[in-house]
Amino acid sequence: MQFNFDAPNPTSSKMSETPVAHNALPPPSSTSSARSARIATHSHIKGLGLSPEGLAVGDAAGFVGQTNAREACGVVVSLIQSRKFSGRALLLVGAPGTGKTALALAVAQELGAKVPFCPMVGSEVYSTEVKKTEVLAEAFRRAIGIRIKETKEVYEGELTELTPSESENPLSGYGKSVEYVVVGLKSARGSKSLRLDPSIYEAILKEKIAVGDVIYIEANTGAVKRVGRSDAYASSYDLESETYVPLPKGDVHKKKELVQDLTLGDLDSANARPQGGQDIMSVMGSLVKSNRTEVTEKLRREVNKVVRGYVEQGVAEIVPGVVFIDEVHMLDIECFTYLNALLESPMAPTVIFATNRGNSLVRGTSDVVAPHGVPVDLLDRCLIVKTDTHTKLQIQKVLQLRANVEGLKLGNGVLEKLGEVGEGSSMRYALQLLTPGSILASLAGRDTIEVEDVSEMGELFLDAKSSAGVIGGL
Ligand SMILES: Nc1ncnc2c1ncn2[C@@H]1O[C@H](COP(=O)(O)OP(=O)(O)OP(=O)(O)O)[C@@H](O)[C@H]1O
Ligand SMILES: [Mg+2]
């Protein structure tokens, strides 16, 4: 296994046919986007909604109530940011539907996109293909970010000229081939005309670069990256997908600091596969393909060693992220003991657990009953935060928030009625009634959900308690 951040061998990297742009990386927490369906129910949550002093004043950022839990999570966020919480865990406990998952996602949002956040559900460890402990180990590796800062020699500027020079090729029957390409670049301090290899011309075509774009070409590797369109070409449209950038400062030929964010998990999987190129570009190029190969403990140790080397040289920086394990009571004793070990390793991320169980049997044992179904030695490493049950008013506020997000109109008295339903069963049940409600309304030819729709749903659907009651009575 080897990868080289300095890319000293220009020929080998020019061979790698896809010079991957620096922004072509999947976001560090790419796993989270795969779970958009689960997260969509929390789309109204934009953060913890805390004041600069860390107080939860009123309802903010989509969060209603839960003052204590929000403030506690705020403290944890600052502990994580000041890197004083690694290797420890936060346990969120509370009744179903009180917002534990929402809180964890809010923590992720407060930390920002640069901090890796790797969410999973306890039951995900039960796979027939991969060992339980492997699933946990991988999640932990995906939650350790590495920020690589490289200073590279680049040619950067606005593209002013792109002229391929073709020549007759006597050996090939296909006539002309590109011999070299002339690229004109302009920066604030001057302009330069470069005569470059045809492979760079291909890269330019692949990136769909046109005259007027700001680009840079890495001197060592020949990799081409489009930064954006020069703002000299900016149009007056309000809504556009194009990003406009100013003319680069300094000379065309210069040293530039490039920053890339990836995770240990990315490096593991990229290196599990034998491949051609050996520079960082090809390592990242392979990140996109997702054929799974085994990542062994030995490989992980080697990746750690290389990364540690880069950290010592000051090239890379470790960014500990967050692993979120929802429904943690679903893990069994084997996983729990492994978690203890993972938490104590020197490169451990912050861990957030959530559970809605009280005292229960620890899975995988026949007689160990522990609070939240989590063994006491792991509980000992946790800070525990409790979420409170919502009041009727809070349920109504969340209902209104969701109705706004989903674009539903509520008629007079609907909030009141759904609030009662929520108080009687659970907030989630009330929230779930919104969509069927809108369907009933549209069947009746209305675009507003009315009280009668809510009553009709009361006849059509049962909440958990009444359903259990009906079956029990049979
Ligand atoms: N305080 C709150 N403010 C705004 N929305 C909330 C709040 N609490 C919960 N919600 C919303 O209510 C729904 C249920 O909450 P969530 O899924 O977070 O509950 P949970 O505590 O994780 O429940 P479970 O134990 O069943 O997993 C979600 O759509 C969530 O976004
Ligand atoms: Mg949950």
Side-chain angles (χ1 to χ4, degrees):
M1 191 269 345
Q2 43 178 314
F3 52 85
N4 193 338
F5 294 102
D6 299 329
N9 184 351
T11 39
S12 81
S13 35
K14 265 186 205 156
M15 297 289 283
S16 66
E17 73 287 39
T18 34
V20 175
H22 289 261
N23 65 353
L25 263 183
S29 52
S30 58
T31 36
S32 56
S33 58
R35 282 162 230 246
S36 53
R38 194 159 69 86
I39 292 167
T41 55
H42 304 284
S43 53
H44 59 288
I45 305 281
K46 301 278 181 261
L48 289 167
L50 300 176
S51 68
E53 297 80 44
L55 300 176
V57 255
D59 308 328
F63 239 107
V64 177
Q66 300 297 8
T67 321
N68 281 338
R70 274 158 66 196
E71 289 178 3
C73 287
V75 174
V76 172
V77 167
S78 30
L79 283 175
I80 295 175
Q81 279 165 343
S82 57
R83 310 237 166 139
K84 293 195 180 117
F85 203 70
S86 292
R88 286 205 266 168
L90 169 70
L91 173 62
L92 301 171
V93 301
T98 46
K100 299 179 291 297
T101 307
L103 265 176
L105 295 174
V107 168
Q109 265 152 341
E110 294 288 337
L111 288 172
K114 293 271 181 229
V115 178
F117 184 79
C118 182
M120 65 178 283
V121 186
S123 50
E124 270 176 50
V125 298
Y126 302 105
S127 138
T128 47
E129 286 161 26
V130 191
K131 273 199 302 190
K132 288 179 265 193
T133 49
E134 264 317 285
V135 178
L136 288 175
E138 191 187 321
F140 271 61
R141 304 276 293 176
R142 294 221 165 267
I144 301 280
I146 315 161
R147 181 161 305 158
I148 300 162
K149 290 203 190 92
E150 299 168 278
T151 309
K152 285 207 162 166
E153 205 183 317
V154 296
Y155 293 93
E156 187 181 41
E158 180 190 320
L159 190 69
T160 50
E161 185 193 350
L162 182 66
T163 327
S165 163
E166 293 175 334
S167 67
E168 218 54 72
N169 189 345
L171 295 178
S172 125
Y174 298 109
K176 291 179 180 166
S177 66
V178 176
E179 195 184 0
Y180 61 88
V181 58
V182 177
V183 170
L185 290 175
K186 185 174 84 181
S187 76
R189 283 250 296 269
S191 53
K192 229 183 176 86
S193 181
L194 310 165
R195 198 177 134 138
L196 301 172
D197 194 84
S199 66
I200 296 181
Y201 180 57
E202 276 169 34
I204 289 178
L205 292 184
K206 221 174 240 166
E207 288 262 313
K208 300 200 171 62
I209 290 169
V211 169
D213 291 350
V214 173
I215 63 168
Y216 63 79
I217 305 174
E218 281 180 29
N220 280 339
T221 61
V224 183
K225 157 90 164 80
R226 181 175 186 274
V227 185
R229 189 105 181 120
S230 167
D231 58 8
Y233 292 79
S235 58
S236 55
Y237 299 120
D238 284 334
L239 201 62
E240 243 188 323
S241 57
E242 188 61 271
T243 44
Y244 291 100
V245 291
L247 204 62
K249 294 191 196 81
D251 292 320
V252 170
H253 186 190
K254 64 182 169 196
K255 291 213 178 325
K256 183 180 167 79
E257 183 163 276
L258 305 172
V259 180
Q260 297 160 31
D261 286 297
L262 45 159
T263 69
L264 282 183
D266 294 335
L267 287 181
D268 289 348
S269 50
N271 287 288
R273 240 163 286 128
Q275 56 195 336
Q278 301 190 341
D279 60 302
I280 184 74
M281 287 311 231
S282 52
V283 172
M284 284 189 283
S286 61
L287 297 182
V288 192
K289 298 175 212 131
S290 63
N291 51 336
R292 249 187 114 96
T293 1
E294 203 173 350
V295 176
T296 58
E297 203 45 49
K298 181 161 167 274
L299 179 91
R300 291 204 180 106
R301 271 201 304 274
E302 272 180 74
V303 169
N304 281 356
K305 208 166 87 193
V306 177
V307 169
R308 221 172 292 133
Y310 284 112
V311 171
E312 274 159 21
Q313 287 170 29
V315 182
E317 185 194 347
I318 301 281
V319 187
V322 179
V323 176
F324 170 46
I325 307 183
D326 209 351
E327 321 287 346
V328 66
H329 52 264
M330 286 305 295
L331 298 180
D332 64 7
I333 188 79
E334 227 177 289
C335 297
F336 286 126
T337 47
Y338 191 62
L339 272 179
N340 282 339
L342 280 179
L343 277 172
E344 270 163 26
S345 78
M347 271 206 225
T350 302
V351 183
I352 303 182
F353 299 125
T355 178
N356 53 20
R357 297 297 154 92
N359 274 329
S360 55
L361 193 71
V362 177
R363 276 182 76 118
T365 66
S366 56
D367 56 349
V368 184
V369 173
H372 315 299
V374 177
V376 278
D377 49 346
L378 182 56
L379 278 179
D380 219 29
R381 293 173 165 84
C382 294
L383 280 182
I384 303 181
V385 170
K386 177 176 160 295
T387 50
D388 302 319
T389 39
H390 297 101
T391 62
K392 187 171 150 195
L393 188 70
Q394 286 169 340
I395 296 178
Q396 288 173 342
K397 281 188 186 161
V398 177
L399 278 165
Q400 185 63 62
L401 274 174
R402 282 307 301 176
N404 294 348
V405 168
E406 292 178 30
L408 306 174
K409 285 189 215 140
L410 305 179
N412 263 345
V414 170
L415 267 190
E416 176 67 27
K417 186 113 193 198
L418 277 178
E420 277 166 24
V421 172
E423 211 181 15
S425 47
S426 78
M427 173 153 95
R428 187 178 283 129
Y429 179 65
L431 284 174
Q432 272 168 353
L433 287 181
L434 282 175
T435 322
S438 71
I439 293 172
L440 288 183
S442 68
L443 283 178
R446 282 179 270 110
D447 62 352
T448 316
I449 304 176
E450 298 292 350
V451 180
E452 61 216 62
D453 298 322
V454 180
S455 319
E456 197 180 337
M457 279 189 290
E459 291 159 24
L460 289 177
F461 304 113
L462 297 178
D463 64 25
K465 271 182 223 153
S466 25
S467 156
V470 172
I471 303 291
L474 288 180

